[in-house]
Amino acid sequence: GSLWSWGYNLNGQLGDGTTTDSLTPVTVSGLGSGVIAISAGQNYACALTDAGGVKCWGTNTNGQLGNNSVTSSAAAVDVVGLGSGVIAVEAGYAHTCALTAVGGMKCWGRNLSGELGDGATTDRLTPVDVTGMTSGVASISAGAAHTCAVTTSSGLKCWGRNDEGQIGNASTINRLTPTDVDGLNTGVAQVAAGTGYTCALTTSGGVKC
């Protein structure tokens, strides 16, 4: 359960307490054990602990670390209100989302295109509930400026930036709250949100993008 990182570190995204690049793996400060999942965004990263808590580090210009500040951190900091009860974390470009054990979804960070799904375009420095997604979520994926979730009924919803149709609802209008993906109200097993596109794995083993 130890966490290691390497490479570019100008913003402290390696989490070793420095801003010095490393050509070999270094331990993330305070996370020498107890880590069960990780996700790397743009110049920041987050970890899920075996206690169900979320910690993030690196650049924080949009509040993507979730610690109620916009100050970058070269060491892991606790996400406010998420010390337990989380089963998955997803880091996008500058926004982060967590899936809770009760099937709820919370997001924080940049919200310019509505990628947090709370009906606004205001950055959030601490986690907020995604509208209508306080339960019934099975899995999540954070893209560059949009977010998607597979529901427990195997349906797919996306929200946020939609200039290239990445929401999948036959439009190019941004969506500030979860929106059904056309033709994928059921039969979805997994979703992956990219920079300006989305792909879904179906329960029959097919892929749609």
Side-chain angles (χ1 to χ4, degrees):
S2 61
L3 184 56
W4 301 72
S5 58
W6 56 95
Y8 184 58
N9 198 28
L10 180 65
N11 303 103
Q13 54 264 56
L14 299 189
D16 66 341
T18 77
T19 54
T20 303
D21 294 355
S22 181
L23 306 185
T24 56
V26 293
T27 305
V28 177
S29 297
L31 293 176
S33 65
V35 178
I36 60 173
I38 58 177
S39 186
Q42 176 71 13
N43 295 327
Y44 81 105
C46 297
L48 175 64
T49 72
D50 55 10
V54 180
K55 296 175 180 285
C56 299
W57 58 94
T59 192
N60 196 30
T61 51
N62 299 100
Q64 53 265 56
L65 301 189
N67 67 333
N68 199 30
S69 82
V70 289
T71 303
S72 299
S73 177
V77 296
D78 292 324
V79 175
V80 173
L82 294 183
S84 63
V86 176
I87 59 174
V89 63
E90 275 281 310
Y93 183 88
H95 77 291
T96 317
C97 294
L99 175 62
T100 69
V102 296
M105 189 172 177
K106 295 176 179 287
C107 297
W108 60 96
R110 192 179 70 173
N111 200 24
L112 180 65
S113 303
E115 53 262 54
L116 302 188
D118 66 340
T121 54
T122 304
D123 290 355
R124 304 298 184 183
L125 308 186
T126 58
V128 294
D129 289 325
V130 176
T131 301
M133 307 289 269
T134 55
S135 64
V137 180
S139 62
I140 62 178
S141 183
H146 75 294
T147 312
C148 296
V150 179
T151 68
T152 51
S153 58
S154 300
L156 183 58
K157 295 177 181 287
C158 296
W159 56 95
R161 189 170 178 173
N162 196 29
D163 60 323
E164 294 170 302
Q166 52 265 57
I167 303 303
N169 67 332
S171 81
T172 54
I173 299 171
N174 292 353
R175 299 294 176 176
L176 308 186
T177 56
T179 302
D180 290 330
V181 176
D182 286 4
L184 293 178
N185 292 322
T186 187
V188 178
Q190 187 177 339
V191 63
T195 296
Y197 70 105
T198 313
C199 291
L201 172 65
T202 69
T203 52
S204 61
V207 177
K208 294 178 179 286
C209 298

